[in-house]
Amino acid sequence: GSFARREATRLLTERQWRKQKGDTRRGHGQRHHHSRYIVTKLGEDWIFLVLLGLTMALVSWSMDYASAKSLQAYKWMHGELTGNVPIQYLAWVIYPIVLVMFASFFCNLVSPQAIGSGIPELKTILRGVVLKEYLTLKAFVAKVIGLTAGLGSGMPVGKEGPFVHIASICAAVLSRFMSIFSGVYEIRAHNQDLLVCACAVGVATCFAAPVGGVLFSIEVTSTYFAVRNYWRGYFAATFSAFIFRVLSVWNKDAVTITALFRTNFRMDFPFDLQELPAFAFIGISCGFLGAFFVYLNRQVVLVMRRQTILTRFLTKHRLIYPGAVTLVIATLTFPPGFGQFMAGELMPRECINSLFDNFTWTKLSATAPPPGLGRSSAWLHPDVSVFLILLLFFIMKFWMSAVSTTMPIPSGAFMPVFILGAAFGRLVGEIMASLFPNGILFDGIVYRILPGGYAVIGAAALTGAVTHTVSTAVICFELTGQISHILPMMVAVILANMVAQGLQPSLYDSIIQVKKLPYLPELSLGHISKYNIFVEDMMVRKVIFLSSQSTYRELGYLLDSTSLKTIPLVDSKESMILLGSIERTELQAISDWWLSAERRVFEKGQGSSDQGWESFTLLDEEGGETSPVQQEPNGPLPSPKPVGPSPNHSTSGDMTSNYVNHTLCLLIGKMQIKAWEEEELDKPISMDEIRIDPSPFQLVERTSLHKTHTLFSLLGLSHAYVTSIGKLVGVVALKEVRACITFVLLFSLRLSVAASLSLPSYLCPSISVPLTPPLYLYLYI
């Protein structure tokens, strides 16, 4: 209360002083007012969003340009060496190995935080957890250069996840720059809002899909999305996507601003209702395939993390694993070799364009393809069926994508999974076209099957299943520039999500679990226990605290014995009334200053003018000795007198006496310093010199787990104090909430198993480890 009164008095005094000063200088401050107005306008959000969108569009276009030139050189080198298969194979293999190993080496050297997707770490950061070095300029440089090299190698790695991380780093760096103009960019909550907008910008500049980018960022990164961020996200995403496509037109990569993978499906009756079962089959199958992809990716990571001789060797020599993976993938995709049976010569963008084309491949002849077929001719082989080529492509690329995303380079899984879904949908479409070669007759009209439409639906369904999002359908609409298949696409995406969410977590949540990041899991809707478990059941009752009567000795012991970042302050040990909380850095600073040599000298100088122990010697904090400084006489130094033996040994006696006196002074000084420190340690802490948060977040004992989870997720809390009529009775942190949620999930699973086995719950053995859905299905059967 006294602290609040002092703060209110100070603020009121400052306000009155500013008002009086403004009245006296009203006629003289116009120029200052205009400059302040300009600076304030420069700090507004729309300028920040323009800078963010422009920067990310330039970075995205530059990366696409560099990676496209790299792939062109790769294809040119392969084409020029036609006829000499051994040299052609070496060139096909060595080129991606060099780029991938360079990306891995550069990221490990500059910033290891740039490795991987970045979305799992960003979800954790948006949750309120501070991850060091993830939003720094070093990580930005490593991510951009490493991702460009990875994309230019032709390996099945994606751009979307790493680019979301790049956009977030750019937003964090811009926030530090914009804080010069406006102090709002120093506020953590405001920067969290800008990071959500950066996620939308990252997706929008990858696919030129602003609407899908905003929706995808909401689904992937935010448990609860603030409506105030809608205009920020849409404005920045639209601006960045527009600039990205304008740069393509300027570089003559496109004639005008169009979709990235534009399709030309017929708009009048693009599909028939009788095809909906096939679309539903694609959705359900993609749900199972997406769950299996996440499972396979996680198992590869877990195998590589096991402590075996091989993994220890690969950990010591970090470049061997990415080099070996690239060697295997490049060997299997070598076009004159096995790659001729799986369209191995096609690069990722060429795969998408060919899979989305309007041709029906089962009706084409490999010997005489039509002139407009283009790169799609790679899917036709004179001796192998199109179905077998598509099936081999899907199977091989499936495990290749799952393994390649585990390499220690910047890589995402969205684009590889997108291509896999397009291949699976194309396979189903070609099967449908072969089953109904003349089309589907309905109401006297024959509707021809469009396998390219099936490919678009499969791409949206599989990416939705892997990421647990529905916005992939919107991204597909914007990527293809057509909305003709909106109904079957939404049906397939929703079915794929229903299946995948029941089997596996999303790919990003799976990586969070593997890396053991402090992220709060979701509570399922069907668990009634979340309303019956309260904060008092999971809180830590033995709370470490400070009181207004605590001494510096107690403070030192507290800092040495705990690593808490925030420590509660109570009125007294008897009342335990919560007054606020204090940051550890504040307490560490006041503790260090209280026993510092500077304060000791100052206190002695202020306390008395008598010569004390400070006149004998000055001692630093390490116990070293500093002798008093003696003034040297002007003029030439006197020549040293020869030292010789004295008959009465007076010189030796003087040296011994000086040494004894000096040692005695030193001991006395140390004893007096020790006595002074002991005296100071027993004094109460001066709370007036510490910044105290008078309103830490509090919960009552009967707050349910559901409400606690909602508050922690909504506000990004790391801990909350539990009070009872103002008294501090406990504390609950993110760790306790996560443990309680895990217990609820496992206990509900135990009851389900007991019910399915017709056993009482106390007879069912307790479950102490997380069970996977396949194991749950096994127990259920």
Side-chain angles (χ1 to χ4, degrees):
S2 59
F3 173 78
R5 284 194 295 273
R6 287 196 305 273
E7 286 294 306
T9 304
R10 182 181 62 81
L11 293 174
L12 183 61
T13 305
E14 288 182 0
R15 189 182 306 165
Q16 292 175 350
W17 178 79
R18 288 176 181 172
K19 184 178 180 181
Q20 293 175 359
K21 195 136 184 165
D23 293 338
T24 57
R25 297 187 178 181
R26 185 170 299 170
H28 306 283
Q30 293 297 328
R31 184 177 302 173
H32 176 71
H33 174 73
H34 289 314
S35 61
R36 185 177 179 183
Y37 175 79
I38 293 174
V39 170
T40 304
K41 284 298 179 182
L42 285 175
E44 289 186 352
D45 281 349
W46 67 271
I47 295 181
F48 172 89
L49 297 173
V50 166
L51 292 175
L52 178 63
L54 180 61
T55 305
M56 295 313 300
L58 290 172
V59 172
S60 179
W61 180 81
S62 302
M63 290 175 57
D64 282 354
Y65 181 81
S67 60
K69 291 298 181 183
S70 175
L71 292 175
Q72 286 180 8
Y74 189 28
K75 297 294 291 291
W76 173 84
M77 186 169 52
H78 170 72
E80 289 295 318
L81 295 175
T82 303
N84 192 342
V85 176
I87 302 298
Q88 193 179 22
Y89 168 74
L90 289 177
W92 182 266
V93 169
I94 291 176
Y95 189 89
I97 288 178
V98 171
L99 288 177
V100 169
M101 293 180 70
F102 166 76
S104 178
F105 173 76
F106 188 81
C107 290
N108 278 288
L109 181 66
V110 178
S111 177
Q113 289 78 11
I115 292 173
S117 170
I119 289 183
E121 290 81 9
L122 189 62
K123 289 185 69 172
T124 308
I125 291 172
L126 289 173
R127 176 54 199 77
V129 179
V130 178
L131 297 180
K132 293 183 179 179
E133 304 295 329
Y134 269 95
L135 299 178
T136 59
L137 197 58
K138 289 198 306 181
F140 178 85
V141 174
K143 200 89 174 182
V144 169
I145 295 178
L147 181 59
T148 305
L151 295 174
S153 67
M155 288 295 102
V157 294
K159 175 186 174 185
E160 174 261 348
F163 213 72
V164 169
H165 188 195
I166 291 172
S168 303
I169 298 173
C170 186
V173 174
L174 272 177
S175 296
R176 290 194 286 270
F177 170 73
M178 296 295 288
S179 62
I180 301 172
F181 304 101
S182 177
V184 71
Y185 292 98
E186 297 178 355
I187 301 175
R188 181 170 168 268
H190 186 262
N191 289 336
Q192 297 286 90
D193 294 342
L194 297 179
L195 285 180
V196 176
C197 301
C199 297
V201 172
V203 179
T205 47
C206 275
F207 307 123
V211 179
V214 173
L215 297 178
F216 188 83
S217 68
I218 293 173
E219 288 187 283
V220 169
T221 61
S222 303
T223 305
Y224 293 92
F225 184 79
V227 181
R228 63 179 178 273
N229 294 328
Y230 260 121
W231 79 269
R232 294 190 181 102
Y234 276 115
F235 178 78
T238 304
F239 184 79
S240 61
F242 176 76
I243 297 297
F244 176 66
R245 296 307 293 160
V246 166
L247 289 173
S248 298
V249 176
W250 173 76
N251 196 46
K252 298 181 181 179
D253 294 333
V255 178
T256 184
I257 298 178
T258 58
L260 201 60
F261 302 109
R262 184 167 182 80
T263 56
N264 296 304
F265 304 140
R266 64 175 186 268
M267 295 300 296
D268 51 336
F269 304 108
F271 63 92
D272 188 74
L273 291 179
Q274 299 179 53
E275 298 179 64
L276 284 179
F279 298 141
F281 171 77
I282 291 177
I284 295 174
S285 301
C286 285
F288 284 103
L289 292 172
F292 182 66
F293 182 89
V294 175
Y295 173 78
L296 181 61
N297 179 271
R298 185 171 63 250
Q299 292 303 313
V300 172
V301 176
L302 292 177
V303 167
M304 294 304 300
R305 291 194 170 204
R306 290 176 185 170
Q307 291 299 321
T308 61
I309 299 176
L310 178 61
T311 55
R312 284 195 293 268
F313 175 77
L314 294 177
T315 303
K316 186 177 180 180
H317 304 85
R318 296 179 180 273
L319 299 181
I320 293 181
Y321 177 68
V325 172
T326 307
L327 174 63
V328 172
I329 293 177
T331 301
L332 292 175
T333 57
F334 181 51
F338 187 74
Q340 61 182 317
F341 306 114
M342 50 176 291
E345 64 182 270
L346 296 182
M347 295 297 110
R349 286 181 179 269
E350 295 174 344
C351 283
I352 296 176
N353 285 321
S354 60
L355 289 169
F356 286 176
D357 67 13
N358 283 348
F359 294 98
T360 303
W361 296 342
T362 54
K363 297 181 180 179
L364 300 178
S365 172
T367 56
L373 191 59
R375 303 302 301 173
S376 298
S377 59
W379 299 95
L380 303 178
H381 194 278
D383 302 322
V384 182
S385 171
V386 173
F387 305 111
L388 184 59
I389 290 178
L390 284 170
L391 184 61
L392 280 175
F393 176 87
F394 179 79
I395 294 174
M396 299 299 291
K397 287 289 184 179
F398 192 91
W399 68 263
M400 287 179 184
S401 301
V403 174
S404 63
T405 51
T406 62
M407 292 190 298
I409 61 172
S411 61
F414 190 94
M415 189 57 73
V417 172
F418 191 84
I419 296 173
L420 285 173
F424 179 77
R426 185 81 194 200
L427 177 62
V428 176
E430 295 291 343
I431 293 174
M432 288 290 294
S434 64
L435 292 177
F436 303 95
N438 298 322
I440 297 178
L441 179 64
F442 179 74
D443 198 16
I445 303 175
V446 177
Y447 298 99
R448 185 169 56 87
I449 301 294
L450 291 176
Y454 284 76
V456 175
I457 293 171
L462 190 57
T463 49
V466 171
T467 59
H468 287 192
T469 58
V470 184
S471 57
T472 53
V474 182
I475 293 176
C476 278
F477 299 153
E478 296 181 279
L479 272 177
T480 58
Q482 286 192 275
I483 202 170
S484 57
H485 289 78
I486 180 171
L487 178 61
M489 194 178 297
M490 291 302 300
V491 170
V493 169
I494 291 174
L495 288 175
N497 268 274
M498 289 174 57
V499 174
Q501 290 182 17
L503 296 176
Q504 288 287 332
S506 71
L507 180 64
Y508 308 123
D509 291 337
S510 175
I511 297 174
I512 287 174
Q513 294 174 7
V514 170
K515 291 187 175 182
K516 297 181 180 179
L517 297 175
Y519 183 74
L520 195 62
E522 291 296 323
L523 268 175
S524 301
L525 296 176
H527 296 293
I528 306 300
S529 304
K530 62 186 179 182
Y531 301 103
N532 301 329
I533 296 178
F534 304 100
V535 168
E536 61 181 356
D537 301 322
M538 57 180 170
M539 69 181 183
V540 177
R541 299 181 181 273
K542 189 178 180 181
V543 186
I544 298 173
F545 62 90
L546 284 175
S547 67
S548 55
Q549 294 86 25
S550 295
T551 63
Y552 286 94
R553 188 184 302 277
E554 296 174 353
L555 174 60
Y557 175 75
L558 185 146
L559 293 174
D560 293 337
S561 60
T562 182
S563 59
L564 296 176
K565 294 182 179 179
T566 307
I567 297 172
L569 176 66
V570 299
D571 184 34
S572 64
K573 297 179 181 179
E574 293 77 21
S575 64
M576 292 296 292
I577 301 297
L578 183 64
L579 301 180
S581 63
I582 309 173
E583 295 291 333
R584 182 185 183 88
T585 53
E586 289 282 330
L587 296 174
Q588 191 70 56
I590 193 68
S591 177
D592 294 341
W593 175 79
W594 190 253
L595 297 180
S596 62
E598 293 83 1
R599 180 178 173 274
R600 186 170 66 241
V601 174
F602 177 77
E603 290 290 330
K604 284 296 179 180
Q606 293 290 329
S608 64
S609 59
D610 300 334
Q611 268 198 341
W613 49 268
E614 289 292 347
S615 61
F616 293 105
T617 182
L618 295 177
L619 299 175
D620 58 12
E621 290 300 314
E622 285 78 13
E625 178 185 352
T626 305
S627 300
V629 179
Q630 298 181 357
Q631 293 184 355
E632 296 181 355
N634 294 326
L637 292 175
S639 58
K641 297 180 179 181
V643 180
S646 176
N648 54 1
H649 304 282
S650 60
T651 304
S652 177
D654 291 342
M655 290 178 62
T656 304
S657 177
N658 290 338
Y659 177 76
V660 171
N661 290 337
H662 180 72
T663 305
L664 184 61
C665 291
L666 183 62
L667 292 175
I668 292 174
K670 286 186 175 181
M671 291 173 61
Q672 291 186 349
I673 290 175
K674 188 67 176 177
W676 177 82
E677 289 180 348
E678 291 294 327
E679 180 183 353
E680 294 297 316
L681 284 174
D682 291 330
K683 291 183 179 180
I685 302 173
S686 179
M687 295 297 176
D688 295 335
E689 301 176 1
I690 303 177
R691 287 182 296 181
I692 302 173
D693 179 11
S695 58
F697 196 83
Q698 303 176 38
L699 297 171
V700 296
E701 296 173 288
R702 299 294 291 177
T703 305
S704 66
L705 174 61
H706 171 72
K707 186 178 290 186
T708 303
H709 178 273
T710 303
L711 291 171
F712 269 68
S713 301
L714 182 62
L715 302 177
L717 301 176
S718 60
H719 67 280
Y721 299 114
V722 184
T723 57
S724 176
I725 323 179
K727 296 182 179 181
L728 179 65
V729 295
V731 63
V732 57
L734 189 63
K735 180 175 66 174
E736 284 78 39
V737 179
R738 292 176 61 200
C740 189
I741 292 174
T742 304
F743 168 77
V744 168
L745 297 177
L746 296 181
F747 187 72
S748 301
L749 179 60
R750 179 186 173 194
L751 293 181
S752 301
V753 173
S756 62
L757 297 177
S758 302
L759 294 174
S761 60
Y762 58 85
L763 290 181
C764 187
S766 61
I767 300 171
S768 58
V769 294
L771 296 181
T772 58
L775 183 56
Y776 171 76
L777 183 62
Y778 169 77
L779 290 174
Y780 185 84
I781 294 174

